[in-house]
Amino acid sequence: RKDATAALAHAEAALAGWPDDGVLLYLAGLAHALAGDDAAARENLSRAIQTAPTLSAASSALATLNAGQRPSVDLRPELLRP
């Protein structure tokens, strides 16, 4: 439903408990981008890439933002094996 305010509230609350979670930083970056705050979006997406370098969705979202476009949620299931 693209509610940037609600998305930011949930992402920021979650990041308070897990400040270095790459997926949460990615989602916060998307929420900031949706809200039109490109600087905060870039900061969160860059941190997501640093903390979770294999999270390709964060790299893709940052590249999209840097190209002057709005990133969207990239839902690709990943199978993790122990």
Side-chain angles (χ1 to χ4, degrees):
R1 73 178 193 210
K2 296 189 179 186
D3 184 348
T5 303
L8 281 170
H10 289 290
E12 296 299 329
L15 282 169
W18 299 278
D20 295 321
D21 185 287
V23 174
L24 292 176
L25 289 163
Y26 162 67
L27 294 173
L30 291 180
H32 281 290
L34 182 61
D37 188 350
D38 291 354
R42 282 187 180 88
E43 180 181 335
N44 279 279
L45 291 170
S46 295
R47 284 186 55 214
I49 294 165
Q50 289 174 346
T51 60
T54 61
L55 184 61
S56 61
S59 299
S60 176
L62 184 58
T64 300
L65 189 61
N66 286 336
Q69 300 172 3
R70 291 279 161 233
S72 59
V73 176
D74 187 7
L75 298 173
R76 281 185 279 170
E78 295 182 24
L79 178 61
L80 302 177
R81 296 180 188 244

